[in-house]
Amino acid sequence: MVVKFQVFKKSSPNSKVTIYLTKREYVDHSSHVDKVEGVVLFDPNFVQDRNVYVQMGLIFRFGREDEESMGYNFVKTLYLDTTQLYPPLKEVKTSEIQRNLINRLGNFAFAFNLEFPKLASPSYTMMRGYEDEGPLINMEYEVMGFVGVNEQDMDKWSVANLTVRRLMECPARFFDRPAPDGSITKTFLTCSGTVTIQASLNSSVYFPDEEINVKVCLKNHASREVKRLKVKVVQLSEVPMFSTNQVRDKTLMKADDLIGLAPGACTNREFVMVARVPARTATGKIFLQGKLRKDAEDQLAPSTVTHPTVSKDDIFGIYVQYAVRVKAALGPLFGDAVLDIPFTLAARPE
């Protein structure tokens, strides 16, 4: 039986260094991230008495490219997990694919293994509106092989780099969690009495485009009529490295029920919602899963699940969560009662 292995290849502009990866998508299991395995091939006549390195780069864009001015750009790049391949400093444990590549490529092919940082987020990118040009906010990784006297001596003509994607996996234990529910009782300054919202979902984990069944019980003990009941699926996002407790919420889908609930009355309602990528507007602002190809289909960014030892506030990158938001509105002069029921959005297997 003949077994075929797929590898990804990229050469430097001067064709003196070539990097090979066994895959370009790596799963973040929250407890650990798959290792990056590959091989670097180089021309010894070009290297001479210099060294050959392999390095992982973490690139975070946090602003519009067309707004950059006066030499300032909205990109932070961290170079991490650098390994010297030649002259070799240590023995590398190789996989079968790496050994097959080395046997085929010759004596100047060296294997490497790299680790993703625990404190960094998965590959996320912000959806662009039809008026936007270039990336707005995104998080991506690349693996680079290069020649230099030291780690800082990186000549762009001898750098072979491949973009890779870090995908978030929903832990299996999340699927065993009970369906979430919640309640809130709200008092108002401009009228007497309270409004109580009780709501529940039918599952704790959903996939994109999967139906979310929402049950709502609304009790109006206020002196004013509850005019409408609103239910939304919202994406909640933060960038902990820049701000603390500043959460952006963007609506993915909404339902508006003009109930006209009189004082002393109660009602039960059921809604079917879906977490899906909304239609592209003038400005996007929804976080999506990072893509390796521009023509790939847009997918919602899955919920971020951090490593057990990592605090959300320490994350370098983007933190994404989801919730069903239930709002009872008494009118503009009296205020609203708002209840959020969080759930986990899992990436659909590809």
Side-chain angles (χ1 to χ4, degrees):
M1 182 179 67
V2 177
V3 180
K4 293 183 178 181
F5 297 103
Q6 182 183 28
V7 295
F8 300 90
K9 170 186 174 182
K10 182 71 176 292
S11 296
S12 60
N14 61 11
S15 301
K16 302 300 182 181
V17 180
T18 303
I19 189 170
Y20 297 82
L21 294 179
T22 58
K23 58 183 180 179
R24 295 181 67 188
E25 296 183 339
Y26 302 87
V27 179
D28 185 338
H29 305 277
S30 75
S31 59
H32 67 283
V33 186
D34 295 342
K35 289 184 179 181
V36 178
E37 297 180 342
V39 170
V40 170
L41 173 69
F42 58 88
D43 182 348
N45 296 322
F46 173 73
V47 174
Q48 297 182 356
D49 59 349
R50 292 177 294 176
N51 305 324
V52 179
Y53 298 94
V54 66
Q55 187 176 68
M56 179 180 292
L58 183 157
I59 304 167
F60 181 60
R61 169 168 286 281
F62 53 96
R64 297 173 183 268
E65 190 173 0
D66 57 359
E67 292 180 354
E68 297 177 348
S69 62
M70 300 180 66
Y72 184 79
N73 62 70
F74 299 114
V75 178
K76 285 185 178 291
T77 303
L78 293 183
Y79 297 108
L80 33 87
D81 203 1
T82 304
T83 301
Q84 180 178 316
L85 297 183
Y86 179 84
L89 298 180
K90 61 181 181 179
E91 185 177 353
V92 177
K93 185 178 180 180
T94 58
S95 65
E96 183 180 357
I97 300 180
Q98 288 173 306
R99 291 191 294 271
N100 289 338
L101 275 172
I102 291 171
N103 291 336
R104 177 174 296 185
L105 297 173
N107 294 331
F108 294 98
F110 289 79
F112 65 86
N113 297 318
L114 296 176
E115 299 273 0
F116 282 92
K118 292 180 181 178
L119 290 178
S121 70
S123 299
Y124 292 143
T125 185
M126 181 174 280
M127 179 181 182
R128 290 186 298 171
Y130 57 75
E131 294 183 354
D132 296 321
E133 295 183 5
L136 305 178
I137 298 177
N138 69 349
M139 182 83 171
E140 64 180 20
Y141 300 85
E142 65 177 6
V143 180
M144 299 166 285
F146 64 95
V147 175
V149 176
N150 52 48
E151 296 179 14
Q152 288 73 40
D153 181 25
M154 186 186 297
D155 179 9
K156 66 179 181 179
W157 297 106
S158 66
V159 176
N161 61 316
L162 270 172
T163 301
V164 296
R165 192 162 65 144
R166 177 173 174 172
L167 303 176
M168 188 79 245
E169 179 188 63
C170 180
R173 67 180 186 276
F174 279 35
F175 291 88
D176 297 328
R177 290 179 172 178
D181 58 20
S183 64
I184 185 174
T185 298
K186 170 78 173 180
T187 57
F188 304 91
L189 294 175
T190 52
C191 66
S192 60
T194 61
V195 170
T196 298
I197 303 174
Q198 297 174 328
S200 64
L201 310 182
N202 62 319
S203 177
S204 61
V205 179
Y206 296 95
F207 292 103
D209 298 321
E210 184 178 359
E211 291 186 352
I212 303 172
N213 296 320
V214 186
K215 293 183 178 180
V216 179
C217 176
L218 179 63
K219 300 177 182 179
N220 184 14
H221 299 300
S223 59
R224 304 294 302 188
E225 177 185 74
V226 176
K227 295 186 177 297
R228 59 204 314 163
L229 180 64
K230 300 179 182 180
V231 178
K232 298 179 179 181
V233 177
V234 295
Q235 183 189 76
L236 309 170
S237 60
E238 301 176 61
V239 184
M241 57 186 289
F242 290 133
S243 60
T244 304
N245 298 325
Q246 292 187 9
V247 182
R248 297 172 63 258
D249 59 273
K250 292 296 178 179
T251 301
L252 304 178
M253 182 180 181
K254 62 182 178 181
D256 195 348
D257 191 354
L258 300 174
I259 56 175
L261 190 65
C266 65
T267 185
N268 292 287
R269 293 283 197 276
E270 293 190 15
F271 300 85
V272 178
M273 312 297 289
V274 177
R276 63 162 57 105
V277 179
R280 193 176 294 273
T281 58
T283 56
K285 305 300 187 281
I286 300 294
F287 278 109
L288 307 174
Q289 188 166 262
K291 298 187 289 187
L292 294 176
R293 303 190 323 273
K294 292 183 179 180
D295 60 347
E297 181 182 356
D298 287 343
Q299 296 187 45
L300 284 174
S303 298
T304 308
V305 183
T306 59
H307 187 276
T309 62
V310 173
S311 168
K312 179 193 70 174
D313 295 337
D314 295 331
I315 291 177
F316 186 96
I318 303 157
Y319 185 82
V320 176
Q321 294 292 287
Y322 293 86
V324 170
R325 176 166 296 168
V326 182
K327 179 186 292 188
L330 278 69
L333 299 178
F334 303 101
D336 304 326
V338 181
L339 171 66
D340 278 5
I341 306 292
F343 66 90
T344 299
L345 187 73
R348 190 174 291 280
E350 298 183 0

